[in-house]
Amino acid sequence: MADILPLRFRMLHYISTVEKTSVDQIMKALEPEYGLEKQFKKEVLMEHFLDMKANLIIEDNDVVFDDKGELLIYYSINDEGRRLLEKYLPKRWNQPSFL
Amino acid sequence: MKRAGDQTAFLMKEKLNANFARKGIFTGLFSGCTWGLNSVLLGMALSLVPVMGGKAAIFAIPLAAACMNDFIAGLWLLFYNGGAGRLKEITRSLKTFPGLMVVIAALLGGPIANGGYLLGISMAGPAYALTITALYPIVGAILSRIFLKRHILPRVWVGMLISVIGAIVISYVPPEGGNGETFYIGLLFASLAALGWGAEAVLAVFGMSMIDPKIAINIRELTSGLFLAIFILPFVGGWAVISHVVTQPGAIGAFAICGLAGAVSYLAWYKANSTVGVAKGMALNGTYVMWGVIFSVILLSQPLTQNLVIGSLLVLMGTTLVAINPKQFFSKVGRHNHG
């Protein structure tokens, strides 16, 4: 697996492939790639979300309480996030099999 | 715009973002405090190195110190990231464009800016050189406005200006008068330092949109330390200084502690820059001038001068203005503001 992206980069890429995602959903989706790594924790991924939001490349406009009454934030990519991906995502990752 | 009907959930999310931004402000202040401590500790560590005269005193010692400081900080960060299971992220990041931008940021902020700073001081004198280099937060803010298209609030500009004036007051030393042609070259070198540090922050923040700040700073410290060791030190006699240090266990220990303070400080600075933006992050980090002198008073029993008191008050006023919108900071649910 020589071509694994840095986790934050991969998260941004994943967000671009779905309409919106929560931290639990993205963990499920990226588990096959990063699941065995010690850094793959909910609080670490949440920190990446908050940082990317602060860097104005993702949005957090969709927010609800789940069945257990916990806050559920959905993140979606914005134009600036897409622009960065188009420009800097390694070419191999643009192929449809990775989408 | 998709907004859930549940207003309470929305407000809770806004609170989460506001808390995150507030944490970023404190992280930025912490980076300034630990950087001030690092500067003072570095001075103490250098006093353990045997006296070396001539050329060594001007370039070799400060550059060797910068090299050891960055490289040892890089090693501490390797332990930190290794413990958190993030080591693989370093090579992954270096294979991407944003990761390479962090390497360039490291070269601008490490060898180029540090080199310019030292040459500026020796050629133009500390009075002028320190005043010019103190402007780096403003340079960073301007560059982030241009290249990252970040809107910077008038309140933040004013705060930054006040704290830069404070930093200049603190580091003020009576000018010795302009001396010939090297004086103007020295001013150019000092400007290069301010530009280098400003550009470093902007490039690093760009890279950190896509890579982890904790990894970015590890790359930065190792790149800067290795570059200085391989490409700069051999030409200024810096390795002679390092060979003196490694023969003295006390000095090695002192540099290891400095490196730790440097690692913590840079880690906090990169994290703050990524969370609250370059303008605020740099202004908060800029408080190191004040912290540095406070630590010298405490640790080295240096006298508390009038300049220090007035300058520190200005730095505090300025950074408070940069960091805090009073309305938002004290309201229970502040809106996350990206000044």
Side-chain angles (χ1 to χ4, degrees):
Chain A
M1 299 281 271
D3 261 284
I4 290 183
L5 282 176
L7 181 57
R8 183 176 289 197
F9 208 150
R10 180 68 178 98
M11 285 175 70
L12 183 66
H13 175 254
Y14 177 77
I15 302 167
S16 77
T17 65
V18 290
E19 193 197 332
K20 60 181 183 179
T21 183
S22 68
V23 70
D24 290 324
Q25 286 171 351
I26 204 169
M27 281 194 85
K28 211 169 162 189
L30 300 186
E31 166 118 54
E33 289 164 66
Y34 300 91
L36 294 176
E37 297 178 12
K38 201 172 158 191
Q39 63 161 337
F40 197 66
K41 290 181 196 155
K42 191 170 177 174
E43 60 266 28
V44 172
L45 272 75
M46 200 57 213
E47 180 102 5
H48 284 311
F49 271 138
L50 289 169
D51 242 8
M52 286 193 280
K53 164 72 177 61
N55 276 283
L56 313 175
I57 59 175
I58 60 172
E59 306 284 343
D60 61 357
N61 291 322
D62 198 353
V63 51
V64 289
F65 287 113
D66 65 11
D67 300 341
K68 294 175 208 147
E70 278 179 31
L71 192 68
L72 191 59
I73 306 171
Y74 288 102
Y75 291 90
S76 52
I77 198 159
N78 63 16
D79 289 345
E80 180 59 13
R82 275 190 205 288
R83 192 186 69 79
L84 286 183
L85 277 179
E86 270 166 31
K87 234 172 155 178
Y88 304 114
L89 187 72
K91 287 203 170 54
R92 195 182 78 86
W93 283 83
N94 278 322
Q95 286 157 17
S97 60
F98 289 96
L99 295 179
Chain B
M1 190 152 137
K2 302 181 289 289
R3 184 170 292 182
D6 194 333
Q7 192 66 13
T8 319
F10 183 77
L11 288 176
M12 274 179 74
K13 184 260 297 178
E14 288 294 279
K15 192 177 175 183
L16 181 76
N17 284 336
N19 283 342
F20 186 67
R22 200 172 306 169
K23 209 171 116 191
I25 299 277
F26 283 110
T27 309
L29 269 181
F30 181 67
S31 83
C33 179
T34 42
W35 192 243
L37 182 65
N38 174 269
S39 312
V40 175
L41 289 176
L42 208 53
M44 291 164 84
L46 281 171
S47 68
L48 300 173
V49 179
V51 179
M52 299 169 78
K55 203 172 115 191
I58 304 170
F59 299 117
I61 291 178
L63 283 167
C67 169
M68 284 188 284
N69 202 35
D70 282 354
F71 185 71
I72 296 170
L75 293 182
W76 280 114
L77 289 165
L78 277 182
F79 283 121
Y80 170 65
N81 282 320
R86 278 190 293 262
L87 277 189
K88 286 180 191 161
E89 289 276 300
I90 295 181
T91 43
R92 283 173 194 162
S93 300
L94 286 172
K95 286 181 193 161
T96 67
F97 186 81
L100 293 177
M101 285 300 106
V102 172
V103 170
I104 295 176
L107 297 178
L108 288 171
I112 293 181
N114 275 342
Y117 173 74
L118 295 171
L119 290 168
I121 290 176
S122 91
M123 289 173 145
Y128 297 99
L130 293 178
T131 305
I132 291 174
T133 52
L135 295 173
Y136 80 96
I138 290 180
V139 176
I142 292 170
L143 292 176
S144 97
R145 181 78 193 86
I146 299 170
F147 294 106
L148 300 176
K149 313 250 176 340
R150 293 294 159 84
H151 178 64
I152 296 159
L153 300 169
R155 188 195 84 234
V156 174
W157 281 119
V158 173
M160 233 168 6
L161 198 65
I162 295 174
S163 68
V164 163
I165 293 170
I168 293 169
V169 170
I170 291 174
S171 49
Y172 178 81
V173 265
E176 297 117 29
N179 38 1
E181 55 227 56
T182 60
F183 173 74
Y184 293 101
I185 301 171
L187 294 187
L188 275 180
F189 277 121
S191 314
L192 186 71
L195 201 64
W197 285 322
E200 172 191 4
V202 171
L203 275 181
V205 163
F206 160 78
M208 289 186 293
S209 305
M210 289 154 277
I211 65 173
D212 194 331
K214 295 167 182 135
I215 297 303
I217 189 54
N218 207 337
I219 294 174
R220 188 260 184 233
E221 291 294 58
L222 288 177
T223 306
S224 170
L226 287 173
F227 188 91
L228 283 164
I230 298 168
F231 298 105
I232 307 285
L233 294 196
F235 304 102
V236 295
W239 277 104
V241 180
I242 292 184
S243 63
H244 276 288
V245 171
V246 293
T247 52
Q248 307 207 16
I252 298 175
F255 275 102
I257 295 168
C258 289
L260 182 60
V264 170
S265 171
Y266 258 105
L267 181 66
W269 188 42
Y270 268 45
K271 181 71 185 96
N273 279 341
S274 160
T275 304
V276 296
V278 176
K280 285 185 180 178
M282 291 189 88
L284 294 164
N285 179 260
T287 55
Y288 83 87
V289 181
M290 174 187 80
W291 295 113
V293 186
I294 291 175
F295 283 123
S296 319
V297 171
I298 298 171
L299 298 175
L300 305 174
S301 312
Q302 284 187 359
L304 189 68
T305 63
Q306 200 179 13
N307 273 23
L308 170 62
V309 176
I310 296 170
S312 297
L313 284 175
L314 286 171
V315 169
L316 274 180
M317 264 171 58
T319 40
T320 308
L321 209 56
V322 165
I324 299 170
N325 180 341
K327 276 189 222 156
Q328 286 174 1
F329 198 74
F330 295 107
S331 66
K332 277 194 172 173
V333 184
R335 236 184 80 72
H336 178 205
N337 195 333
H338 207 89

